[in-house]
Amino acid sequence: MAAGEVAVGRSVDMAALAAQADTFPKLLLKNALERGQRPASREKDLGIWQSWTWDEVLDEIRALSCGLHDLGLKRGEKLAIIGDNRPQLYWSMVAAQAIGAVPVPVYQDSVAKEMQFVLEHAETRFAVVDGQEQVDKLLEVKERCPKLEQIIYRWPRGMRHYKQPFLHSMADIQERGRAFAADNPDFFLDEIAKGKGSDIAIILYTSGTTGVPKGVVLSADNCVVTARNSVELEGLTEKEEVLAYLPMAWVGDNIFSIGQSYVAGFCVSCPESGATVMQDLREIGPSYFFAPPRVFENLLTTVMIRMEDAGWVKRKMFGFFMNLARRVGTRILDGERVAPWDRLLYALGGVLVYGPLKNTLGFSRIRLAYTAGEAIGPDIFDFFRALGLNIKQLYGSTEASVFITIQPNGEIKPDTVGVAVTGVELKIAENGEVMFRSPGVFLEYFKNPEATSETKTPDGWVHTGDAGVIGEDGHLKIIDRAKDVGKLDDGTIFAPKYIENKLKFFPAIKEAVAFGSAREFAAAMISIDLEAVGNWAERRGLAYGSYQDLAAKPEVYALIEDNVRQVNRDLADDPHLAGSQIHRFVLLHKELDPDDGELTRTRKVRRRFVGEKYDRIISALYSGADHVDIEAQVTFEDGRTGTIKADLVIRDVETAPAPAAGEAVAAVAAE
Amino acid sequence: MPKDTSANQTLLHVDNISLSFGGVRAIRDVSFEIKTGEIRAIIGPNGAGKTSMLNCINGFYHPQEGTITYRGQTRKQMRPHDAAAQGIARTFQNVALFKGMSTLDNLMTGRILKMKGSFLLEALYLGPARKQELEHRAFVEGIIDFLEIEDIRRTPVGRLPYGLQKRVELGRALAAEPTLLLLDEPMAGMNVEEKEDMSRFIIDVNEEFSTTIALIEHDMGVVMDISDRVIVLDHGEKIADGTPDQVRDNQAVIEAYLGVSHD
């Protein structure tokens, strides 16, 4: 067929398809029709932000779709996507969906073994990867993944010696696709027309705090409807600016960077590299931003360290205005009444401190920011809200296509995760577990009906595995993982995560693991934060040679002991938890690390694994010994392993007396 | 893996070079050639004359005897700026960057020989000067991308860790678009990971930009892995010259360099 016949005999009307808007490929058509000239994707390359309009993105995706089809990718087959956030990788997902294939994004920093599991389990025939690093990993596991046939790489750097016939550059595939589209002008739209909302849109493997990862199957409806509900709830428009920097294999990134972007039509920017995120953030100045608590925590730590190094005047000014902000900032943000004088001072602070600070952090234009994943420290949360940033906590899961609850504007409480979002029903099961039902509820775990039936009831309710309570105001409060909530020997409730979070809110503590279930008392393993404690040590002229050396210093032990005592005092205030105060703790000789299997890729503690690995330390904590020798295996970034030997000191901590019931009442009465 | 460059043209020919500092004879009657497109390593124990040899090649030292033929031109003496103008760039054993300037600015200084135009136009950032600046910046950004140093683009190099400074120095040498790149201990003081990165960059420079490379290195493992041919110097004399395998098995090298043989 000649190229001139392209327009003739078009069987499908693009506008009609776009109007259905029930899959991402159709939303792509819609965006191209409605805002073809507005930017859709942006990436910093060679120091310059490069943009693609929706029209251009449509063209790129069409070329990819046709190229993948020409290479043999068929409807229903799986396509692995591995790499850092890149526009081309996002396009690959929609390109696969356009021809009915299912994208399976894989965490890009997985070691080869983990990658192999997902590729094998998902039966991926094709893989689209960023570059040489990922190609190498795939070549390492390819023999054990017999289904994997074709690998497409975006970036040809370093690939000149790879002669394998199954390796293709994305540019070549797109060229094939363009030639194919010229010969088959109706193909692309015909394929999109075959797609419908109930189709599988994506399979996302959960990082799995326990056991092997599970493939969560989400339909196009799941993703599109949840995205649309959240866009309407928060009033997101095509004018939002976002930076996509969280792993593409994480459900949140999928819903934010594809879901909401395609529904609202806003542009998604990708950072230049993983290391430049903070600079890129500043240049892009997002209006809508998601970050796990850890990111906000790191930002606050950086600000505080930099302020300690600042001159006297700046330090005083910062101190004065931050105190003011803590007092009135959140109230102004929540629309409460504030004295005019304070308002005026706050405005002055905006010019002198808050504005410049927000600008440095890249937060000048933020209208809406979310945090989720774990509890955020009240200090951190208040700090950013006091600056006038509308940070809100949300609660969600992969099985829900993210959103379950969001804190509504003006109803922000540090210890809750907000109320159920549009379309979500919420209830607490008898054992205290939070359950939900929503349009975002996943179809199934891929090839794992057993796990599916364990998690999802026949009438669509999903077990979250989290223990929580719903307050009278409808706000949900999460306490811990339902299965992690245990009891001490004397019957006191022991919620390890709750204690760990309290510990981790101190800047000196990076990670903590609490033990106590079916034990006499609660004890904790703590790893210090090298940056914060290192800085603290420098200020005191305390010399140290390594992480291990620093963590073993008596001064550092004393610092942490103070923190633990503070946590004990907090726990003592709550009659239910007063019995679970920490009696003994140990400082670990290394940071907990996903490469050693101690954390998940999203940096949550793998409790059982840690318990087994550090068995010796735990027995020592409960044997009364004052130190413990250990030898632990570590995995280096290049995959090799080594062992570290250490002699760790165990410290006893005094516990605070629990207020007797009578005293507590008296105290309340006295107020 | 060493590639076969025996059929390639000779880029640089060193003929019977001898160099003395007063009574100290740093180099004695050394000859070798570097072929276009190869990675040529110069190894030897401390004080063997390796750095002196590089200094002769880029015109920093002037050997008392012998000649150097570069791209068919034989010369007895050359100044460093002549060498630079003819496409020879180098890095130093002890990093020699402008510590107070950013990575980007340091790399831009590598473009200086490619810049033309008048002082006045440059100062006012007018017309051709502006166009030229943009072209050079684009070239330098390519190097930043190549060496994966985007995140330190604006950081003063004095604040960077040593391994990264070495990388920036390589970048500045590359900014001069050299035909022959001289690297003086590019991996000294680096950890294993940094060495692996640097090895990869050196091989990539050689293969993607077809740059001929002469390097001095102490780490035998690295030398044997990445170079096509190796010259061994000891007390200023050449004691071996060949592929890594030939050199490894050479008895004189084992005795001079490694001391004892570990069979």
Side-chain angles (χ1 to χ4, degrees):
Chain A
M1 190 189 288
E5 291 173 55
V6 166
V8 185
R10 167 156 288 175
S11 56
V12 185
D13 177 23
M14 180 162 157
L17 264 186
Q20 292 174 11
D22 57 352
T23 63
F24 291 120
K26 290 177 194 170
L27 284 166
L28 170 68
L29 301 178
K30 186 165 185 267
N31 282 315
L33 286 175
E34 288 177 5
R35 47 181 75 85
Q37 292 309 306
R38 278 195 66 82
S41 301
R42 200 180 284 137
E43 175 192 38
K44 195 170 179 185
D45 187 32
L46 298 180
I48 296 171
W49 287 99
Q50 318 277 347
S51 299
W52 289 265
T53 63
W54 283 106
D55 275 341
E56 287 164 341
V57 167
L58 173 61
D59 180 62
E60 298 278 353
I61 290 180
R62 186 192 295 119
L64 260 174
S65 265
C66 295
L68 289 169
H69 170 80
D70 199 33
L71 195 62
L73 185 65
K74 296 193 182 63
R75 194 159 277 275
E77 287 182 333
K78 317 292 184 299
L79 169 93
I81 309 248
I82 315 168
D84 290 328
N85 312 66
R86 297 280 170 210
Q88 295 82 354
L89 297 190
Y90 286 112
W91 301 341
S92 303
M93 292 208 212
V94 180
Q97 290 168 345
I99 53 171
V102 179
V104 183
V106 183
Y107 281 96
Q108 78 273 27
D109 58 349
S110 321
V111 292
K113 201 174 67 183
E114 294 169 356
M115 218 170 255
Q116 181 195 338
F117 174 85
V118 173
L119 297 179
E120 241 183 309
H121 188 265
E123 303 171 1
T124 54
R125 253 190 80 207
F126 280 55
V128 173
V129 305
D130 196 31
Q132 189 193 8
E133 185 186 348
Q134 311 297 350
V135 170
D136 284 347
K137 278 192 205 167
L138 286 184
L139 292 179
E140 198 181 324
V141 301
K142 189 165 181 300
E143 277 179 18
R144 276 160 286 161
C145 302
K147 291 252 162 85
L148 183 61
E149 285 174 24
Q150 308 284 358
I151 300 173
I152 296 137
Y153 54 89
R154 176 191 72 94
W155 189 225
R157 167 85 192 279
M159 295 293 301
R160 60 194 173 275
H161 289 315
Y162 293 65
K163 300 288 179 235
Q164 289 89 336
F166 54 81
L167 288 175
H168 314 272
S169 84
M170 190 176 273
D172 289 347
I173 294 303
Q174 284 188 306
E175 193 154 317
R176 271 175 84 158
R178 291 199 165 95
F180 181 89
D183 292 341
N184 306 276
D186 291 339
F187 173 80
F188 185 63
L189 288 184
D190 283 347
E191 286 296 306
I192 291 180
K194 288 181 198 163
K196 50 191 186 304
S198 56
D199 287 350
I200 296 176
I202 194 165
I203 301 179
L204 296 159
Y205 278 77
T206 57
S207 47
T209 36
T210 48
V212 292
K214 288 179 282 193
V216 179
V217 180
L218 296 178
S219 68
D221 278 337
N222 287 155
C223 301
V224 173
V225 175
T226 330
R228 185 170 294 138
N229 284 346
S230 56
V231 162
E232 283 166 11
L233 182 73
E234 300 288 7
L236 300 177
T237 69
E238 63 177 19
K239 299 219 170 69
E240 308 303 330
E241 285 289 347
V242 302
L243 186 72
Y245 70 104
L246 288 159
M248 294 178 67
W250 175 60
V251 65
D253 186 60
N254 200 263
I255 295 296
F256 301 141
S257 305
I258 295 186
Q260 295 181 331
S261 159
Y262 275 61
V263 167
F266 59 74
C267 174
V268 173
S269 303
C270 294
E272 190 167 20
S273 79
T276 59
V277 169
M278 284 303 145
Q279 293 157 33
D280 296 335
L281 194 64
R282 198 178 158 190
E283 290 172 11
I284 287 294
S287 64
Y288 168 41
F289 180 63
F290 178 93
R294 187 177 301 271
V295 169
F296 288 111
E297 199 179 309
N298 288 344
L299 283 174
L300 177 58
T301 311
T302 321
V303 169
M304 286 316 196
I305 290 173
R306 296 258 301 262
M307 279 320 298
E308 277 184 44
D309 289 334
W312 186 85
V313 177
K314 279 188 188 169
R315 236 176 25 237
K316 286 289 161 200
M317 210 160 76
F318 179 75
F320 174 79
F321 282 108
M322 280 321 295
N323 277 337
L324 173 81
R326 284 211 175 82
R327 204 153 46 78
V328 302
T330 44
R331 286 163 56 202
I332 291 175
L333 188 63
D334 289 341
E336 290 173 32
R337 288 173 61 89
V338 173
W341 171 244
D342 280 341
R343 248 180 215 282
L344 196 68
L345 268 183
Y346 188 79
L348 181 65
V351 176
L352 293 176
V353 175
Y354 319 138
L357 181 58
K358 281 196 281 191
N359 186 27
T360 307
L361 297 172
F363 288 169
S364 292
R365 295 201 286 173
I366 288 202
R367 222 162 48 72
L368 172 65
Y370 285 137
T371 187
E374 47 195 315
I376 185 165
D379 287 355
I380 302 160
F381 196 59
D382 284 347
F383 176 84
F384 288 104
R385 289 192 60 81
L387 286 177
L389 285 183
N390 188 19
I391 303 188
K392 311 204 287 184
Q393 298 193 70
L394 67 83
Y395 174 64
S397 74
T398 312
E399 286 81 355
S401 317
V402 183
F403 300 103
I404 299 175
T405 65
I406 296 180
Q407 295 181 322
N409 288 335
E411 287 182 50
I412 312 297
K413 298 164 193 184
D415 57 345
T416 80
V417 290
V419 300
V421 300
T422 323
V424 176
E425 298 168 78
L426 208 57
K427 72 177 180 190
I428 306 289
E430 272 176 27
N431 64 350
E433 187 176 354
V434 179
M435 296 184 72
F436 69 92
R437 187 160 70 173
S438 76
V441 167
F442 71 121
L443 297 180
E444 57 168 357
Y445 290 118
F446 190 57
K447 295 199 299 185
N448 195 346
E450 214 171 291
T452 308
S453 62
E454 270 172 31
T455 308
K456 191 172 149 184
T457 65
D459 53 352
W461 286 91
V462 178
H463 294 270
T464 59
D466 288 321
V469 286
I470 301 176
E472 283 173 12
D473 49 4
H475 281 250
L476 177 68
K477 182 176 184 177
I478 302 293
I479 309 173
D480 201 343
R481 297 292 294 171
K483 65 174 172 40
D484 288 337
V485 176
K487 288 201 161 105
L488 299 183
D489 277 348
D490 63 1
T492 312
I493 293 177
F494 170 71
K497 186 95 168 265
Y498 189 76
I499 297 176
E500 287 158 12
N501 283 338
K502 281 198 175 298
L503 283 169
K504 285 189 334 196
F505 293 155
F506 291 100
I509 297 176
K510 179 104 177 180
E511 287 295 343
V513 191
F515 302 93
S517 228
R519 302 267 190 185
E520 197 186 331
F521 54 82
M525 291 191 326
I526 292 169
S527 62
I528 57 169
D529 186 310
L530 184 61
E531 198 179 339
V533 179
N535 202 279
W536 175 88
E538 263 172 42
R539 255 160 235 296
R540 273 150 196 80
L542 197 60
Y544 62 95
S546 62
Y547 185 93
Q548 188 176 344
D549 183 29
L550 182 65
K553 296 268 178 215
E555 292 87 346
V556 174
Y557 260 90
L559 171 77
I560 303 293
E561 191 180 335
D562 262 355
N563 296 164
V564 176
R565 231 183 267 138
Q566 175 87 45
V567 168
N568 281 348
R569 273 199 294 277
D570 280 359
L571 287 171
D573 289 341
D574 187 325
H576 297 295
L577 300 169
S580 62
Q581 293 183 45
I582 298 162
H583 288 236
R584 312 189 77 202
F585 76 94
V586 63
L587 294 187
L588 287 178
H589 55 293
K590 65 181 271 293
E591 281 186 38
L592 298 181
D593 198 297
D595 285 348
D596 294 333
E598 293 153 345
L599 301 180
T600 65
R601 290 282 157 206
T602 46
R603 302 195 71 93
K604 290 178 187 158
V605 174
R606 280 197 165 112
R607 197 171 298 281
R608 200 169 52 184
F609 179 85
V610 171
E612 281 162 19
K613 178 168 181 180
Y614 294 108
D615 182 41
R616 279 180 61 90
I617 299 184
I618 298 165
S619 354
L621 280 169
Y622 289 100
S623 72
D626 57 4
H627 73 104
V628 54
D629 275 318
I630 66 145
E631 195 169 302
Q633 203 173 55
V634 291
T635 309
F636 298 113
E637 288 207 339
D638 59 3
R640 287 173 308 141
T641 57
T643 48
I644 299 188
K645 285 186 194 162
D647 181 26
L648 307 179
V649 175
I650 296 177
R651 194 58 89 88
D652 289 298
V653 200
E654 59 185 275
T655 51
E663 279 177 42
V665 173
V668 172
E671 280 178 23
Chain B
M1 204 197 306
K3 55 184 177 293
D4 186 16
T5 49
S6 52
N8 289 8
Q9 276 190 326
T10 300
L11 178 68
L12 180 110
H13 200 280
V14 172
D15 247 342
N16 305 98
I17 289 277
S18 292
L19 176 74
S20 309
F21 301 102
V24 181
R25 299 194 64 185
I27 300 176
R28 307 176 199 206
D29 199 21
V30 172
S31 303
F32 63 89
E33 87 286 326
I34 298 175
K35 289 187 182 294
T36 305
E38 73 176 341
I39 299 183
R40 190 76 149 122
I42 306 176
I43 65 171
N46 281 333
K50 304 183 297 287
T51 301
S52 298
M53 196 67 239
L54 276 202
N55 284 341
C56 289
I57 294 176
N58 86 320
F60 196 63
Y61 291 162
H62 302 138
Q64 283 86 359
E65 285 167 40
T67 55
I68 295 175
T69 309
Y70 174 65
R71 292 209 288 202
Q73 282 189 318
T74 304
R75 60 191 158 87
K76 191 142 175 66
Q77 284 200 353
M78 175 150 74
R79 290 174 185 280
H81 61 258
D82 295 328
Q86 290 190 37
I88 302 181
R90 74 171 289 181
T91 68
F92 297 85
Q93 192 169 348
N94 307 311
V95 177
L97 289 164
F98 303 103
K99 304 268 182 200
M101 279 162 45
S102 69
T103 298
L104 182 65
D105 290 340
N106 267 284
L107 296 194
M108 287 299 277
T109 61
R111 299 294 294 168
I112 252 159
L113 280 175
K114 309 272 172 194
M115 293 188 188
K116 303 178 193 76
S118 75
F119 172 78
L120 190 67
L121 285 179
E122 292 281 340
L124 298 173
Y125 195 50
L126 282 176
R130 183 189 186 111
K131 181 164 164 281
Q132 166 172 273
E133 178 88 5
L134 291 176
E135 281 167 9
H136 289 306
R137 174 72 191 274
F139 187 86
V140 162
E141 283 292 346
I143 292 171
I144 289 177
D145 183 61
F146 178 82
L147 294 175
E148 295 164 21
I149 47 178
E150 297 94 344
D151 54 321
I152 54 164
R153 190 186 275 131
R154 301 276 179 198
T155 314
V157 293
R159 292 224 307 258
L160 298 174
Y162 186 71
L164 274 180
Q165 293 196 11
K166 282 270 190 192
R167 208 188 284 185
V168 174
E169 204 187 25
L170 173 63
R172 184 180 59 184
L174 288 178
E177 295 176 71
T179 315
L180 174 62
L181 180 60
L182 310 176
L183 304 174
D184 196 348
E185 300 205 18
M187 279 163 255
M190 288 188 173
N191 65 31
V192 178
E193 203 184 329
E194 288 171 330
K195 278 183 188 176
E196 282 176 2
D197 283 348
M198 187 54 102
S199 304
R200 192 165 55 86
F201 287 130
I202 292 174
I203 294 173
D204 282 349
V205 167
N206 175 248
E207 296 187 351
E208 291 198 359
F209 305 151
S210 315
T211 307
T212 309
I213 295 174
L215 68 93
I216 295 175
E217 186 47 58
H218 264 304
D219 188 318
M220 289 295 274
V222 169
V223 169
M224 295 306 178
D225 271 356
I226 69 173
S227 28
D228 301 310
R229 290 192 303 155
V230 180
I231 305 150
V232 190
L233 297 180
D234 188 23
H235 297 297
E237 288 177 48
K238 183 169 96 171
I239 58 171
D241 187 352
T243 63
D245 286 336
Q246 290 167 347
V247 167
R248 208 189 325 248
D249 297 337
N250 186 313
Q251 195 56 35
V253 176
I254 294 170
E255 281 166 18
Y257 198 93
L258 305 170
V260 235
S261 142
H262 304 275
D263 285 328

